[in-house]
Amino acid sequence: MWVLMYVFSYSVSPAATNDRADWRLMPTVVFQEFSNEERCRAAKSTLEGSLKDAGARLRSGLEDLKSLGKSDPAQIIIAYNVECLPK
């Protein structure tokens, strides 16, 4: 058995807001079991691609806000980690 674990989080730079609750949002942590390493690695690859796209879409939306003087993408920190681990 193999376990796919991924962690996704994002936070807002303290310079972007005075509300400390917005600085760091709780990460999402997910575990999923697979019967073999090959299936786990295939899921990992797909998930990593999806997370990269999500970050790009988020930053694109923030660029739109920046053009209106409302936000700056540099103020958002996106982090993720995806691992396949033997059980």
Side-chain angles (χ1 to χ4, degrees):
M1 291 294 272
W2 284 78
V3 176
L4 175 72
M5 178 200 74
Y6 75 86
V7 179
F8 178 79
S9 67
Y10 69 96
S11 57
V12 179
S13 168
T17 178
N18 291 327
D19 185 354
R20 289 178 177 261
D22 286 341
W23 289 3
R24 182 74 175 166
L25 300 168
M26 298 300 295
T28 299
V29 181
V30 176
F31 297 92
Q32 184 174 355
E33 290 186 357
F34 290 87
S35 58
N36 62 55
E37 183 179 8
E38 181 181 322
R39 292 186 69 194
C40 186
R41 295 209 181 274
K44 175 184 176 184
S45 177
T46 300
L47 185 57
E48 285 176 327
S50 176
L51 291 173
K52 286 177 186 174
D53 290 344
R57 286 192 302 270
L58 177 59
R59 286 201 170 90
S60 174
L62 289 170
E63 284 290 347
D64 293 343
L65 289 174
K66 182 180 179 182
S67 68
L68 299 172
K70 301 289 185 185
S71 182
D72 183 351
Q75 297 169 338
I76 303 296
I77 301 160
I78 299 168
Y80 64 88
N81 184 42
V82 184
E83 296 293 336
C84 278
L85 307 167
K87 184 174 179 183

